[in-house]
């Protein structure tokens, strides 16, 4: 499988090598066709949620002529293959972490920005087809160890002056609500949150972009770019595009050779999911989950799951460390084992789909929207929870590229920090996984 840490270039149609459940039920979006662009005002690389939201904002709110290129089809990366949890949060920091680093007012303002990101997805879906399957949901963060229960409960009151609703569910109530969930010690229920079909949603965004006259091109890969006096020359497999501004919306898929400025500023990490065969009615009753429950636990190496509208169970967690090992069957069987441990009523269940994708992890667990070099802008580092936030980050990125001031929040005030000893990132990841397994 394509590996952004080791491959100099991203292969065309890289998404065809994985067979996700979403691709099985949702066709690729057929965008309007345009001749190869020799020059343009704003060039966006990456047609996922970040790139399409930036494009839509620039075309419809700033009247810019915008071109988007993707090495694969529309949404080829995470945006067509994620788990569909639209969460009021991103990165890996808790309210407490933000408060310790930046003070209580900023921590509250950050939560409000997260609530705004969920509401942005909701607003964008007002004209969406039914296939997007947008449903109001609750995000359940469950304590997998007794001692974490108190810690979680103590967090609830911190959200009281924010736009997020956080409610404590004690172990007994949790047992009544989700009788099939094994060995959890209470948890927090967060709203607003939603679930959706990620591929249908990225197709919907692309449809909005087509209507806004954004020129989208698939199967065109950027190899690198050069800054010139009056423009940026972007090299692709089809030739050079001259752009006034370049927005890199490549997230975890940015190949090694494409941007020396960004290469060491994040770690592409594989996230992996499986989808089971449809559950029968007694299995659905036994696990007690509804389609509006989005469950995640407190492990260092987290598991997350949801019941899909067709009564299959989607279950996710970490994947392999390198692309070359991604498809090894041991990762699918590890996830299936963890699923059966979490939901013992499904001990006989079979997985029908298993796939993975590259998320972008930042050194300090916080995403950023920033300009790495004049005329070039990017938003990345969502750490595996970017569905809601990438939609807002795309808009913020567009605003930044138009020299608009952004809200005074930590995501918008600095660049992503550089990893020390970038060549050792994979070793660091391996050590973290060993530590995580031990602690969990
Ligand atoms: C298995 C999995 C499950 C997930 N589940 C959830 C979830 O439930 N909730 C949640 O909030 N988040 C989840 N995520 C993360 C979420 O999907 C991402 O944060 C989000 O989609 C990021 O969108 P994006 O547009 O920034 O990047 P992407 O959607 O990854 O798009 C980047 C695009 O850039 C293109 N590209 C890269 N380099 C080049 C180049 N050189 N030339 C041309 N094109 C290029 C790629 O082809 C790709 O289409 C999950 C991710 C995975 C992999």
């Amino acid at each position: 499988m394509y590996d952004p840490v080791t491959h100099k270039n991203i292969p065309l149609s890289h998404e065809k090598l994985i067979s996700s459940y979403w691709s099985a039920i949702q066709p690729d979006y057929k965008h309007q066709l345009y001749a190869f662009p020799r020059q343009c005002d704003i060039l966006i690389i990456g047609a996922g949620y970040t790139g399409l939201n930036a494009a839509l904002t620039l075309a419809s709110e700033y009247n810019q002529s915008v071109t988007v290129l993707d090495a694969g089809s529309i949404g080829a990366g995470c945006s067509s293959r994620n788990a569909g949890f639209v969460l009021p949060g991103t990165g890996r920091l808790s309210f407490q972490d933000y408060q310790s680093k930046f003070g209580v007012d900023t921590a509250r303002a950050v939560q409000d920005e997260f609530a705004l990101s969920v509401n942005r997805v909701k607003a964008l879906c007002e004209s969406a087809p039914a296939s997007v399957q947008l449903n109001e949901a609750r995000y359940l963060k469950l304590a997998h160890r007794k001692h974490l229960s108190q810690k979680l409960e103590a967090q609830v009151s911190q959200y009281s002056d924010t736009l997020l609703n956080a409610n404590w569910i004690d172990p007994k109530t949790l047992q009544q609500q989700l009788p099939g969930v094994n060995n959890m010690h209470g948890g927090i229920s967060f709203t607003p949150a939603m679930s959706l079909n990620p591929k249908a949603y990225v197709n919907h965004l692309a449809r909005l972009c087509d209507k806004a006259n954004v020129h989208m091109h698939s199967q065109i890969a950027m190899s690198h770019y050069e800054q010139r006096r009056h423009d940026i020359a972007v090299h692709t497999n089809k030739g050079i595009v001259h752009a006034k501004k370049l927005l890199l919306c490549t997230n975890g898929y940015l190949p090694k050779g494409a941007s020396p400025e960004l290469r060491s500023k994040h770690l592409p990490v594989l996230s992996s999911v499986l989808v089971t065969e449809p559950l029968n009615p007694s299995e659905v009753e036994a696990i007690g989950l509804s389609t509006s429950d989005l469950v995640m636990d407190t492990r260092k190496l987290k598991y997350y799951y949801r019941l899909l509208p067709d009564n299959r169970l989607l279950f996710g967690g970490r994947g392999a460390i390198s692309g070359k090992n991604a498809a090894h069957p041991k990762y699918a069987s590890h996830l299936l084992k963890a699923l059966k441990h979490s939901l013992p009523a499904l001990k006989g269940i079979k997985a029908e789909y298993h796939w993975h994708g590259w998320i972008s992890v930042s050194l300090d667990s916080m995403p950023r929207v920033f300009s790495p070099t004049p005329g070039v802008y990017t938003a990345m580092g969502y750490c595996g929870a970017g569905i809601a936030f990438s939609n807002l980050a795309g808009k913020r990125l567009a605003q930044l590229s138009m020299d608009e001031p952004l809200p005074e929040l930590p995501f918008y005030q600095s660049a992503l920090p550089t990893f020390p000893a970038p060549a050792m990132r994979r070793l660091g990841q391996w050590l973290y996984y060993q530590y995580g397994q031990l602690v969990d």
Side-chain angles (χ1 to χ4, degrees):
M1 180 189 173
Y2 164 61
D3 187 332
V5 172
T6 52
H7 289 146
K8 200 160 178 285
N9 288 305
I10 182 167
L12 300 184
S13 303
H14 57 91
E15 76 282 8
K16 300 290 178 217
L17 291 175
I18 63 135
S19 49
S20 81
Y21 163 73
W22 305 116
S23 301
I25 63 168
Q26 188 69 44
D28 288 349
Y29 179 69
K30 290 193 174 31
H31 56 83
Q32 298 207 18
L33 299 176
Y34 297 96
F36 179 75
R38 296 282 161 206
Q39 55 188 42
C40 63
D41 287 344
I42 300 193
L43 181 64
I44 297 180
I45 308 297
Y49 304 145
T50 306
L52 296 180
N53 271 278
L56 197 57
T57 307
L58 287 164
S60 56
E61 293 176 29
Y62 294 91
N63 208 17
Q64 297 291 302
S65 76
V66 187
T67 297
V68 182
L69 309 182
D70 200 293
S73 52
I74 298 300
C78 292
S79 298
S80 62
R81 55 175 100 175
N82 60 60
F85 289 38
V86 185
L87 304 179
T90 192
R92 293 191 177 168
L93 304 185
S94 65
F95 187 102
Q96 187 58 51
D97 295 326
Y98 279 105
Q99 183 173 336
S100 313
K101 273 183 145 180
F102 306 106
V104 70
D105 291 342
T106 301
R108 284 193 189 124
V110 161
Q111 308 311 315
D112 290 352
E113 187 81 344
F114 291 155
L116 198 66
S117 71
V118 175
N119 290 334
R120 176 169 172 83
V121 174
K122 195 172 173 182
L124 284 164
C125 281
E126 266 165 21
S127 57
S131 57
V132 172
Q133 296 178 325
L134 185 79
N135 283 316
E136 298 282 349
R138 57 177 185 162
Y139 163 41
L140 297 169
K141 190 170 179 186
L142 305 185
H144 78 288
R145 289 270 183 269
K146 214 171 179 175
H147 72 275
L148 294 171
S149 179
Q150 273 180 335
K151 264 191 172 175
L152 269 190
E153 189 177 0
Q155 288 178 17
V156 170
S157 61
Q158 297 175 326
Y159 294 89
S160 57
D161 286 326
T162 73
L163 297 175
L164 296 192
N165 302 308
N167 291 303
W168 174 244
I169 308 178
D170 61 70
K172 204 170 145 208
T173 312
L174 184 69
Q175 183 63 31
Q176 283 160 1
Q177 290 184 2
L178 307 179
V181 173
N182 190 21
N183 217 10
M184 288 289 163
H185 306 272
I188 307 183
S189 158
F190 288 100
T191 55
M194 284 180 299
S195 63
L196 49 64
N197 170 329
K199 184 156 177 164
Y201 178 61
V202 79
N203 287 355
H204 169 62
L205 287 177
R207 207 171 294 116
L208 296 179
C209 283
D210 256 341
K211 280 194 193 146
N213 200 27
V214 170
H215 290 203
M216 290 175 284
H217 299 258
S218 37
Q219 280 85 43
I220 300 186
M222 174 188 80
S223 56
H224 62 287
Y225 54 86
E226 293 167 78
Q227 255 147 333
R228 303 197 178 176
R229 234 159 90 106
H230 299 296
D231 63 13
I232 302 169
V234 179
H235 294 251
T236 78
N237 57 305
K238 288 259 175 86
I240 298 176
V241 188
H242 295 270
K244 289 190 187 133
K245 290 181 180 172
L246 174 64
L247 274 55
L248 297 175
C249 302
T250 52
N251 203 38
Y253 281 81
L254 181 76
K256 186 181 164 191
S259 170
E261 287 87 7
L262 293 180
R263 205 178 129 196
S264 318
K265 292 203 171 286
H266 78 139
L267 174 64
V269 168
L270 277 175
S271 186
S272 185
V273 274
L274 57 78
V275 166
T276 67
E277 59 191 340
L279 275 52
N280 62 41
S282 57
E283 286 170 329
V284 174
E285 201 187 327
I287 62 169
L289 286 179
S290 85
T291 49
S292 56
D293 296 321
L294 307 176
V295 184
M296 199 177 291
D297 64 31
T298 41
R299 286 182 169 83
K300 295 266 173 236
L301 306 174
K302 298 184 190 332
Y303 294 122
Y304 50 90
Y305 46 95
R306 62 180 274 220
L307 184 68
L308 297 175
D310 62 358
N311 283 346
R312 295 170 187 268
L313 195 95
L314 180 152
F315 193 92
R318 75 177 175 91
I321 288 186
S322 68
K324 73 176 189 306
N325 294 328
H328 194 290
K330 74 177 177 188
Y331 294 103
S333 57
H334 169 81
L335 273 187
L336 191 59
K337 205 169 139 199
L339 180 164
K340 291 176 182 180
H341 177 74
S342 306
L343 301 162
L346 301 185
K347 63 179 185 300
I349 204 80
K350 291 191 183 66
E352 288 194 349
Y353 301 88
H354 173 239
W355 72 95
H356 23 254
W358 292 105
I359 60 169
S360 161
V361 172
S362 60
L363 182 64
D364 62 1
S365 303
M366 200 168 69
R368 297 294 199 293
V369 176
F370 68 107
S371 168
T373 177
V376 180
Y377 305 84
T378 190
M380 61 201 295
Y382 309 124
C383 302
I387 300 184
F389 192 72
S390 63
N391 282 270
L392 187 55
K395 177 181 166 160
R396 298 292 187 219
L397 184 65
Q399 291 170 328
L400 181 70
S401 71
M402 291 286 105
D403 301 321
E404 293 269 345
L406 298 188
E408 287 197 14
L409 295 174
F411 324 121
Y412 310 133
Q413 305 301 318
S414 61
L416 280 172
T418 303
F419 274 76
M424 310 288 272
R425 284 173 299 172
R426 282 271 160 91
L427 177 64
Q429 185 186 357
W430 182 83
L431 289 170
Y432 182 77
Y433 281 5
Q434 303 306 309
Y435 159 74
Q437 269 166 12
L438 208 69
V439 175
D440 292 340

